Amino acid sequence: MKTPPNSKDELEEVDSDEVFPMFRDGGRFGQLRLAVGMTFATKMEFKEAVREYCIQEGRRIWFKKNDNVRMRAVCKDENCGWLVYAANNTENNYWQIKTFMDDHSCARKTKNRLANRKWLAGKLVKKLRKYPNLRHCEAAQYFKTKCDLELSKCSLTRALGNARAVVHGDAAAQYGMIYICLDACKKGFLAGYRPLIGLDGAFLKTQHSGQILSAIGQDANNHIYVIAYAIVPVENTENWRWFLELLHQDLGDYKQNKLYFISDMQKIVNCCDLIDRLLLHELLIYAELLIKEVRAKPIVTLLEEVRMYAMRSIARNKVKLSSNTGILPPIQRSRLEKIRKESKSWVPMWSGDSEYEKFEVHG
């Protein structure tokens, strides 16, 4: 370690024939090292490097001298001799550490104001890209385990919000980017899916709240099929009327196409007693689960993830049925086979009509 300069020669340059390391951002937390002579592209880069280093070492410091020519950071404990001093090399336009006394006499701290909202959000952005559904408690545990930091609930909540805004985009701006692209879903439903539609609404957890309305159907093999969905400010009669009128325009007259509907309140509309109640219940559960994991994200991100989820689901089901042979799809064939086996013990008894067409079955 170089001998620290006195107050008279703080701004003197180190020998020009020596080669000094250049600070490179993006290193792993816990492995950052500072050294005399290390250079930085800007003053802010130097300041953030000192912040990162002191957080990883569990030290609380403050910048005592801060201008366009020099910066000095010292420990908040007056009895501690820790010090880092850097100056601006105006000729080559970079900052360089002139003095670094890395000898702390104070104890390590688990609460550190250097870990502000901006710093926390920067760390959380990387975590959210890998784990999009990262929860508050998981984030707190991450900083406790990885950085040995105890954070207030308020600061961590705000940092999570900032990080999600970076990862998922600005929530308010995304409302101006919405477009409609569901023709394929509606045409696919009309091409041969079961004429049963489940309707449901779910609350969104975004900054602007709102609800998502969805129409869900099933194919011949009982696979769930997403027909349409829309975002509205509130779930009320007016918005449901708007949603269903658009759905009616795309799918055609429900009476002519013999379409049946059921709402989340189990109120059957244009329905008959032959519809499987359990099947309807599964439809409504799926409609809610469709957006459960993404409803806290900004609007465009939410809609895109729902769209991609529906697309992947339809594609997988298409592959499953591509090798099917016969008139019936696999699930319906298995149900028929089960009934056929049970029917072995059934006995038909002629009811006495002259045409021998009416029988009564016992068993």
Side-chain angles (χ1 to χ4, degrees):
M1 184 175 293
K2 291 182 178 291
T3 303
N6 56 37
S7 59
K8 294 182 180 180
D9 58 4
E10 277 185 338
L11 298 180
E12 289 183 3
E13 300 297 326
V14 279
D15 298 337
S16 59
D17 59 340
E18 296 188 44
V19 178
F20 296 103
M22 179 179 293
F23 174 75
R24 300 192 182 280
D25 195 10
R28 294 175 64 87
F29 184 85
Q31 299 180 1
L32 176 62
R33 295 293 177 265
L34 300 179
V36 173
M38 180 174 283
T39 60
F40 302 83
T42 64
K43 179 178 71 172
M44 186 56 65
E45 186 179 69
F46 164 73
K47 188 174 182 179
E48 291 305 314
V50 173
R51 179 193 302 276
E52 183 86 4
Y53 179 78
C54 291
I55 292 174
Q56 84 173 17
E57 298 298 314
R59 311 301 180 183
R60 295 189 295 183
I61 59 100
W62 63 291
F63 292 92
K64 189 174 182 180
K65 186 179 294 186
N66 185 359
D67 54 38
N68 295 327
V69 180
R70 52 194 172 181
M71 290 187 69
R72 178 187 293 167
V74 298
C75 183
K76 284 196 171 184
D77 186 346
E78 296 180 355
N79 298 320
C80 180
W82 187 92
L83 166 71
V84 59
Y85 169 80
N88 184 11
N89 186 319
T90 55
E91 182 180 350
N92 298 318
N93 194 26
Y94 64 78
W95 284 72
Q96 187 177 46
I97 294 180
K98 301 294 185 177
T99 307
F100 184 41
M101 301 177 64
D102 193 24
D103 186 15
H104 275 281
S105 60
C106 58
R108 183 182 181 91
K109 309 295 183 182
T110 57
K111 294 183 179 180
N112 199 332
R113 288 192 175 184
L114 291 174
N116 56 18
R117 189 197 308 183
K118 181 180 178 182
W119 185 86
L120 293 173
K123 298 296 181 184
L124 288 171
V125 164
K126 297 178 182 179
K127 295 293 291 183
L128 284 171
R129 293 192 192 281
K130 190 174 182 179
Y131 306 103
N133 301 313
L134 183 71
R135 294 180 296 172
H136 187 282
C137 60
E138 294 170 334
Q141 184 61 35
Y142 166 76
F143 284 113
K144 177 62 179 176
T145 305
K146 184 73 175 179
C147 310
D148 194 20
L149 283 173
E150 294 182 5
L151 304 172
S152 68
K153 185 176 181 180
C154 182
S155 61
L156 186 55
T157 299
R158 292 175 179 175
L160 265 174
N162 289 2
R164 289 192 178 108
V166 173
V167 175
H168 305 306
D170 183 75
Q174 286 200 8
Y175 275 91
M177 301 165 58
I178 299 176
Y179 61 94
I180 298 175
C181 185
L182 287 172
D183 289 344
C185 290
K186 297 167 185 175
K187 291 178 181 177
F189 175 75
L190 292 173
Y193 282 76
R194 302 173 69 175
L196 173 62
I197 299 175
L199 304 174
D200 197 9
F203 288 100
L204 300 181
K205 296 182 178 180
T206 64
Q207 179 182 359
H208 301 279
S209 301
Q211 288 199 328
I212 183 169
L213 309 181
S214 57
I216 310 294
Q218 274 195 321
D219 63 13
N221 200 41
N222 284 15
H223 289 150
I224 298 297
Y225 188 90
V226 180
I227 304 170
Y229 49 91
I231 303 294
V232 294
V234 64
E235 184 180 12
N236 56 23
T237 303
E238 182 181 354
N239 286 329
W240 267 116
R241 182 182 293 112
W242 166 80
F243 180 73
L244 291 174
E245 285 177 352
L246 292 178
L247 190 65
H248 183 264
Q249 293 175 15
D250 290 328
L251 300 183
D253 185 80
Y254 70 92
K255 293 182 179 179
Q256 183 178 351
N257 293 323
K258 297 182 179 179
L259 298 177
Y260 304 105
F261 298 87
I262 181 172
S263 71
D264 58 344
M265 300 301 292
Q266 298 291 314
K267 295 177 181 177
I268 309 291
V269 182
N270 186 33
C271 209
C272 61
D273 298 332
L274 300 179
I275 294 181
D276 188 343
R277 285 278 181 166
L278 179 61
L279 175 61
L280 297 176
H281 183 61
E282 291 175 353
L283 271 178
L284 297 174
I285 291 178
Y286 184 86
E288 181 175 352
L289 291 178
L290 177 65
I291 66 156
K292 182 179 180 180
E293 297 298 328
V294 299
R295 59 181 179 174
K297 298 181 180 180
I299 185 71
V300 172
T301 307
L302 182 152
L303 291 175
E304 279 296 284
E305 292 203 19
V306 172
R307 181 186 64 82
M308 290 188 291
Y309 181 89
M311 181 175 65
R312 288 194 298 268
S313 176
I314 293 172
R316 284 197 301 267
N317 294 338
K318 185 177 181 180
V319 171
K320 290 179 182 178
L321 293 175
S322 61
S323 59
N324 181 61
T325 57
I327 299 175
L328 296 177
I331 290 182
Q332 310 305 351
R333 187 167 59 245
S334 65
R335 286 185 173 183
L336 181 62
E337 181 63 20
K338 180 181 178 181
I339 296 175
R340 188 188 67 81
K341 291 180 179 179
E342 293 174 348
S343 69
K344 290 181 180 180
S345 60
W346 296 354
V347 178
M349 182 181 298
W350 178 47
S351 62
D353 67 307
S354 58
E355 303 296 332
Y356 277 83
E357 291 181 350
K358 297 179 180 180
F359 289 83
E360 187 173 299
V361 179
H362 290 260

